[in-house]
Amino acid sequence: QTCALPIYVDGNGASGVYNNTYYANGLKATGSANNVQYVDGDLAQGLFGGFYYVNGVYGTGFSNNIYYVDGSFANGVYSDVYYINGIPTGTGLVNGIYYENGNPANGVYNGVYYQSGTSATGTLNGVYYVSGDPANGVYDGHFYSSGIANGTGTVNGVKYISGDPANGTYDGVYYKSGVPFTGVEDNILWTDGS
């Protein structure tokens, strides 16, 4: 076992930083000087006193799978990951991006469809979404109700049956591509579907 000998400056035990080592009363010590933290005389590295240090100053990085920013637990979004208390578990909307368990969401959360954290248009599990919400109305020639192409009704003069423009007779009116047919078909003259 070695014993550290005290360091003297001008006949007194050194206090402060000498040759990049921190001393108190001539012995290597833990403390700070000029906003730099030292542990046992050396620049603080990693966790000390609940803070994360790099070369003696508050640092940004990982320690024991926990992410620190400026010496403290990361809280917020850093490099597209949402941290709470240094752990990538954040869920919620931050700056227009929705996060689930720390990452930009992909899928349906709280009834909204997300791709890379933004509300999206597309189909997932047979449901069609527009700007994140289940489609209601006519899109791409189909009438949707709660995201399912099964809507029945008339929109902008076009009649839809089970999501598609009506073709055939419904309620005594003959339709072609969703509009009452005018013309001859099967030797029958149709005028406005009658």
Side-chain angles (χ1 to χ4, degrees):
Q1 184 175 17
T2 61
C3 180
L5 297 176
I7 300 296
Y8 292 93
V9 175
D10 296 328
N12 296 313
S15 289
V17 179
Y18 298 94
N19 296 323
N20 295 322
T21 302
Y22 182 77
Y23 294 94
N25 299 319
L27 299 174
K28 287 184 177 184
T30 296
S32 63
N34 301 320
N35 294 320
V36 177
Q37 181 68 43
Y38 295 85
V39 177
D40 296 327
D42 298 320
L43 292 171
Q45 300 290 345
L47 290 178
F48 175 75
F51 293 97
Y52 179 75
Y53 292 91
V54 175
N55 296 325
V57 295
Y58 292 142
T60 296
F62 285 94
S63 179
N64 299 321
N65 295 320
I66 296 177
Y67 190 58
Y68 293 85
V69 174
D70 295 328
S72 298
F73 290 134
N75 282 300
V77 176
Y78 301 93
S79 300
D80 293 328
V81 178
Y82 184 14
Y83 293 91
I84 294 179
N85 295 326
I87 300 171
T89 57
T91 295
L93 193 63
V94 178
N95 296 326
I97 304 294
Y98 186 79
Y99 293 85
E100 183 69 23
N101 294 320
N103 296 305
N106 287 303
V108 177
Y109 299 93
N110 300 319
V112 179
Y113 175 53
Y114 294 97
Q115 288 182 339
S116 299
T118 58
S119 55
T121 297
T123 302
L124 180 67
N125 299 325
V127 177
Y128 185 64
Y129 295 87
V130 176
S131 298
D133 296 319
N136 285 302
V138 177
Y139 299 94
D140 298 324
H142 300 284
F143 185 22
Y144 290 87
S145 176
S146 298
I148 307 296
N150 64 357
T152 297
T154 302
V155 178
N156 296 327
V158 178
K159 182 168 185 72
Y160 292 87
I161 302 294
S162 299
D164 293 317
N167 285 301
T169 302
Y170 299 94
D171 300 324
V173 178
Y174 182 64
Y175 293 90
K176 274 239 165 170
S177 299
V179 295
F181 181 68
T182 297
V184 176
E185 186 165 297
D186 296 329
N187 293 324
I188 299 173
L189 175 60
W190 298 93
T191 302
D192 292 326
S194 299

